[in-house]
Every structure is written in C-alpha cells, then in structure tokens.
Amino acid sequence: MSTDLRNEDKQHGLPLHTKILIGLLVGILGGLAAHVVATVEAGVPGDANKNGLKDWLDTLIYWVEPVGKIFLRIMFMVVLPMVFSALALAVVEIGDLKKLGRMGLKTLGFTGLLSTAAVLIGVGLVGVLRPGHALEEGQRQKLITQYSGSASEKMNKLKDAKPVRDTIVDLLPENPLQEMVGAVDGSSKGNGMLSVMVFALICGMAITTRPIETQTFVSWLEGLYAISMSVISFAMRLAPYGAGCLVFALTAQLGFDILKTLVWFVLTALLGLGIQLVVVYSIVVFVFARISPWKFFSNVSEAMLVAFGTSSSSATLPTAMKVASEELRLPKRISNFVLTVGATGNQNGTALFEGVVVLFLAQVMGIELTASQQFKVVLMSVLAGIGTAGVPGGSLPLIVAVMNSVGIPGESIGIILGVDRILDMCRTVVNVTGDLAIATCVAKSEPAHETDEDLAT
Ligand code: ASP
C-alpha cells in the first residue's frame, strides 16, 4: 500500500501535501482574522455581545472544532491495535534478523544506537530551549481549561508516584487487557502503554520460539497492522480539512501567541533533526565506514529529495535501494536487507520528533514531568520509532500513546497538527538517510568476499 502513496497523493488533482498546506494557510489566516475581529468587537464598549460578530464567530468555532476532532478520533482508534501489532511483528522480524546472524545483529545495534542518540538530542533541546514556555501565561490557562477534563483526571491518577521497585515490576502487566484500556483512558494500574509495549514484545518473543504453530497468529497480526495503516490513510485524506479546522480553532482563540510558540517548536524540532542528520550521521559514516560525510551526502541526495517529497520511508525504499547500489556501490544483498528492515524499523528522525512533541506539549500544558516520566518518554520514543509505519503521519498514533502514558491529553496533539506535514517531510529525510548510513556502515564492516550463506552464519 505504502509504495503507492505517491500516486494516491496525486489521485484527486492537487497532491495531498499541497492540499494540507492550503488547509493550514486557510486555517491560520481565517483563525487570525476571527481572533482580531473578536478582540476588536469585545473592546467596543456595550457592544461586546448580543448578536454581534463575536457570537457568530463563537458559533463558527463551535462547529468547526468537531471536524478537527473527527480527524483526530480516526487516528486515536488505531493507537492500540497499531502499537501492539507493530511491536510484536518487529520482534518477529528481529527473530529473523538473528537468523541472518552477524549482519542482522549489526543492523539492530546501529538502529538502537542512532535512535537513542536521536531521542536524547530532541529531549535535550526541548529541555534547554523550552519552546513551550514561549506561550503567555493567560493563553496557557485557556489551553489548560480547554483540555482540563481529560488532563486533570489523568494527572491525578498518575500523581501517586510509585517507588522505582514497583515501576519496574509494573512493566509486566498483570492483566494486559485492563492495561490496554487503562493506557487509553488513564485508569491503568501498571505503566499503561509502556506495559502494553512490553506485553507486545513478550508476545513477539514467544512467537519466535514457535514459528510453525503461530503462523496463523502472525498473519492475523499482519492483517491488524494493515488495517491500522488503512485507517491512518483515511485520516490523512481528511488531514487538509482536519488540520485546517484545528488550526483555525486554535488561532481564533489564542491569536498570534500560539503561532509564535509553534514557530519555536518547529525551530527546535528542525534543529534536532539537523544535528542528527549533519553531525551524528557524519560521525557515524566517518568512524564506522571511513567515508567522507560530504561524499556520503552527495551520493544519497536523490533519496533525500524523494523522502522530502513523499513523507514516506516506504515510498522512498526503491530510490534508496537504487542509490545504495549505484551511488554508494554497496553490495545489493546487504543494502537491500538493511534498507527494507530500516524503512519501518529504523526511524531516527521520527523517534527524535516523538520526544520533542511530547515534552513540548507538556511545557505548553504546564505539566511538569518528573525525571522518571522523562525517562519513560525517552524509552517509549525509541520503541515508538521502531514501531512507526513508514507512511505520512505514521508516527501520530504512537505520539498519542506516549502522551497518554505521561498524563498529557491526547487531544492536545491538535496544537501541533497544523505544522506536522512540513516536519514530517523533514523527519522522513532523516529516517531514510539514517537507513542509508546504517547500510553503508554494515556493508563496510562485512568482508567483501563473503557470500549470502557466509553472512547467515
Ligand atoms: N513519515 C514518516 C516516514 O515515513 C513516519 C512519521 O514520522 O510519521 O518515515
């Protein structure tokens, strides 16, 4: 499905990303105009209410907001099936990686290393630059009131800080089904979504020990994953209207201030992605593959451009494979394997972005995360990066899962949705370049004369 995304993008006239940008602009400009009109009208003595423009605008916001919420709900409903199936299947694939021996393990090692570096860079930058604090206190209160029902309920449940000992035990859910419900509505007794993720990992491990008997269940999981992907693609078709309506409602209520805060958020995310792309990947290809970063980037530029245009690692896979064999001159048996696994399993840019969004929204909502909650965000973002589908917006359901687990209301993701597509294009470039960097390092570390059978031992 994902390889057809580019065509699907263009199916009805304008490409999807252009439609989303138009929706975004219309939403922002309409929202700002509404905000200005409402503020001016409220400032006219004795004229602030009663059948005035302000009332009319309030009614408009009242009806526009649900369109955005419907878009969000479509994504929320696949959070659980997607997290569970994606992670269990990832472990099943890793089981296969082990069968591939040294090459599989190296790929896994690089994925863990680069994803952890990415999340730490993102989380560190949000901690230092504090983009969420750019919002004025009055506006913050408005947002807190808007999301307060779900936020305070969840926070109250999370506030009873558990000793580290219990947190570790609770990683293993006593009742996985109860934990799944709790992960969404905040009533979890254990670690919520993190416990669900651990349950999925354990199921995946169990599957690898009985590959024959579990074949049907694996097909079932693949079906569940495919369904989640389709639902996300329905949501993405609604994105131009959904994101536009959410941005309209947000700017109509908060005016220029929220835009200023969003600009800080975008700059922080871009800086993090830039550091991962330019600094981390340069060091990695230089140290592990002994090739000049400049040469590496100029060789992979075609794949980077396709990733930027499609916002999809999966849709970029054929170009990445071509670049790996024709420009980087890597052996096909190695690059095809690493790139295929990496298109969904290695998403460093996405992992970084997930950490940035969650901490940013915590700052915006005035939620102070404890050190252990921040650790949870890092761990979950690394796992979420592995479980994210390589399609446009694939990370959004997983971001909601991480948010829920630390008491940030899932609906508040609407604050950043308007700017998500632009950042999606950029993080996909980082994801795809990361796959190519790992392929280069793994290829250079394998003896040139070995055959496929040698590599499998
Ligand atoms: N669009 C990203 C990719 O395909 C996934 C995401 O971050 O949403 O790599």
Side-chain angles (χ1 to χ4, degrees), residues 311-314 343 347 350 388-396 424 427-428 431:
S311 285
S312 167
S313 305
S314 302
Q347 307 227 343
T350 294
T388 297
V391 299
S395 54
L396 297 175
D424 196 359
R427 63 184 185 257
T428 307
N431 291 343

Side-chain angles (χ1 to χ4, degrees), residues 284-306:
V284 166
V285 292
F286 184 70
V287 172
F288 294 100
R290 292 264 151 233
I291 73 165
S292 113
W294 176 252
K295 194 169 163 232
F296 172 76
F297 284 116
S298 64
N299 280 341
V300 302
S301 56
E302 189 186 340
M304 289 169 80
L305 285 173
V306 175

Side-chain angles (χ1 to χ4, degrees), residues 1 75 79 84 132 135 211 213 269 282 296 308 323 370 399 410 452:
M1 167 223 144
M75 267 183 324
V79 168
F84 183 78
L135 194 67
E213 295 100 309
S282 295
F296 172 76
F308 187 77
V323 158
T370 61
I399 294 177
D452 284 352

